[in-house]
């Protein structure tokens, strides 16, 4: 009779080829971030939705396409996120007078309240995420993350 539960020492070890791959480590970070976000910030407001609310709050009345660029979403994902936020009563989308194809985004009062509450929890999460690092190291880590993101985004534009 065989035991269905494998002892810990026989569980698969992550291959070195994966642990040495930056993309694998980024995916691990993102998966962990998503799991913590749901518990610590908001179980119904996703990170992209939070980013859109933040961008709309910073620049109300900008069009959906430029907001997509500001929050690193493709235009079809942005349209879906904006539609969901509008359905929840957190933003309004108004047609631009000069171009009926452009949708201008504005926070509603409920959107402002939701963003304010989520923002406090998101900043507390940021503190937890960066907890192992002192202020000078945090700047260094953020600079490294930003330069990686910029470089990797640049690679998407190469032929």
């Amino acid at each position: 009779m065989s035991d269905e539960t494998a002892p810990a020492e026989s569980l698969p070890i992550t291959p070195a080829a994966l642990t040495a791959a930056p993309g694998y480590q980024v995916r691990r970070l993102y998966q962990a971030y998503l799991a913590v976000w749901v518990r610590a910030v908001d179980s119904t407001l996703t990170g992209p939705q939070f980013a859109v609310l933040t961008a709309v709050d910073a620049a109300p009345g900008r069009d959906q396409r430029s907001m997509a660029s500001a929050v690193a979403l493709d235009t079809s994902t942005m349209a879906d996120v904006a539609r969901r936020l509008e359905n929840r009563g957190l933003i309004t989308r108004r047609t631009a007078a000069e171009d009926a194809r452009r949708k201008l985004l504005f926070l509603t009062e409920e959107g402002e309240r939701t963003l304010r509450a989520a923002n406090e929890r998101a900043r507390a999460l940021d503190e937890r995420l960066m907890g192992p690092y002192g202020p000078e190291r945090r700047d260094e880590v953020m600079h490294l993350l930003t330069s990686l993101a910029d470089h990797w985004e640049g690679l998407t534009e190469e032929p």
Side-chain angles (χ1 to χ4, degrees):
M1 184 190 280
S2 67
D3 183 6
E4 297 279 325
T5 307
E9 60 269 15
S10 69
L11 292 176
I13 295 172
T14 305
L18 285 179
T19 60
Y24 174 77
Q25 298 299 350
V26 168
R27 188 182 65 74
R28 284 185 57 217
L29 281 169
Y30 188 63
Q31 289 299 112
Y33 179 75
L34 290 176
V36 174
W37 174 276
V38 168
R39 289 194 320 268
V41 179
D42 196 307
S43 62
T44 61
L45 187 68
T46 66
Q49 290 172 343
F50 175 78
V52 170
L53 291 178
T54 300
V56 172
D57 184 51
R62 285 186 58 199
D63 68 276
Q64 197 167 288
R65 182 178 298 270
S66 64
M67 288 290 182
S69 178
V71 298
L73 293 175
D74 61 74
T75 55
S76 62
T77 302
M78 178 63 189
D80 183 55
V81 169
R83 187 172 32 262
R84 290 172 189 262
L85 291 171
E86 184 177 41
N87 289 342
R88 289 180 58 189
L90 302 178
I91 66 168
T92 58
R93 294 189 298 167
R94 300 180 195 151
T95 302
E98 68 281 356
D99 183 352
R101 296 171 296 175
R102 289 179 57 227
K103 301 296 181 202
L104 310 179
L105 306 180
F106 300 89
L107 288 182
T108 63
E109 287 183 23
E110 181 61 24
E112 290 174 5
R113 281 191 294 276
T114 299
L115 177 59
R116 227 178 356 263
N119 193 48
E120 289 177 20
R121 294 186 300 270
R123 297 301 65 86
L125 175 58
D126 289 346
E127 286 299 313
R128 288 177 56 204
L129 293 170
M130 299 299 280
Y133 307 102
E136 68 289 337
R137 290 290 319 273
R138 289 180 187 193
D139 288 344
E140 180 184 337
V141 169
M142 286 306 301
H143 177 73
L144 181 58
L145 290 171
T146 301
S147 66
L148 271 173
D150 291 345
H151 175 65
W152 290 14
E153 284 177 343
L155 294 175
T156 67
E157 298 166 6
E158 291 180 359

